[in-house]
Amino acid sequence: MKVESGRSIGAAGARRAGGAAASGFAPETDAPERAQAVTGVGGVTALDAVIALQAEEQPAQRRARQARRGGAVLDALEELEKGLVQGVAPGALRAELERLQRGREVTGDDGLDEVMREIDTRLAVEVAKLDRQLGKI
């Protein structure tokens, strides 16, 4: 490419801006349509899917939480049993038993869900007995 020093760049640019395009260059008339077709919500949809997957709780976390809850329920029932054997109905334990009743959720693990149903049944029976003993019925 040869560089010519005598020509004004501004004049050449002004002359060509209003006239025809340089040879070998022709702007495509459908360029805006093509660009519009390329843009879309694909990126947003992918981001929404990632956020939804992150928000979805892992089944292992649910199982672990329910296993801990099951242990806590059994411990609370054991404390209740000790109190009843000693002839003292621990009224403060009643609130803990109610809190544990509200924490029930399905884990998706059939074996664990069955064990938790049995524990929850026992919990409901003991709470009803405690209510009767405390005169709440």
Side-chain angles (χ1 to χ4, degrees):
M1 174 177 198
K2 182 177 177 183
V3 178
E4 298 178 19
S5 61
R7 296 174 108 187
S8 168
I9 295 175
R15 197 170 0 119
R16 289 188 185 211
S23 64
F25 176 78
E28 296 182 28
T29 57
D30 64 337
E33 293 174 19
R34 206 173 37 183
Q36 191 175 25
V38 172
T39 61
V41 294
V44 175
T45 304
L47 180 60
D48 289 343
V50 169
I51 290 172
L53 285 174
Q54 288 176 344
E56 180 64 30
E57 185 178 41
Q58 298 297 323
Q61 292 172 333
R62 249 190 331 265
R63 286 191 300 269
R65 187 172 47 248
Q66 285 303 294
R68 284 191 306 271
R69 179 180 160 269
V73 169
L74 293 175
D75 290 344
L77 290 174
E78 186 177 341
E79 287 299 314
L80 177 62
E81 181 182 10
K82 285 178 188 176
L84 293 174
V85 166
Q86 294 172 355
V88 180
L93 189 57
R94 174 71 170 91
E96 176 68 9
L97 295 173
E98 282 182 345
R99 183 189 68 78
L100 289 168
Q101 275 183 319
R102 288 190 302 268
R104 182 178 183 186
E105 61 183 322
V106 177
T107 65
D109 181 342
D110 293 337
L112 179 58
D113 288 341
E114 179 62 31
V115 169
M116 290 305 298
R117 275 191 293 276
E118 291 175 16
I119 291 173
D120 288 334
T121 301
R122 177 62 185 218
L123 178 60
V125 167
E126 294 302 326
V127 167
K129 286 170 113 179
L130 185 60
D131 283 346
R132 190 167 140 199
Q133 186 178 5
L134 294 174
K136 289 189 176 182
I137 294 180

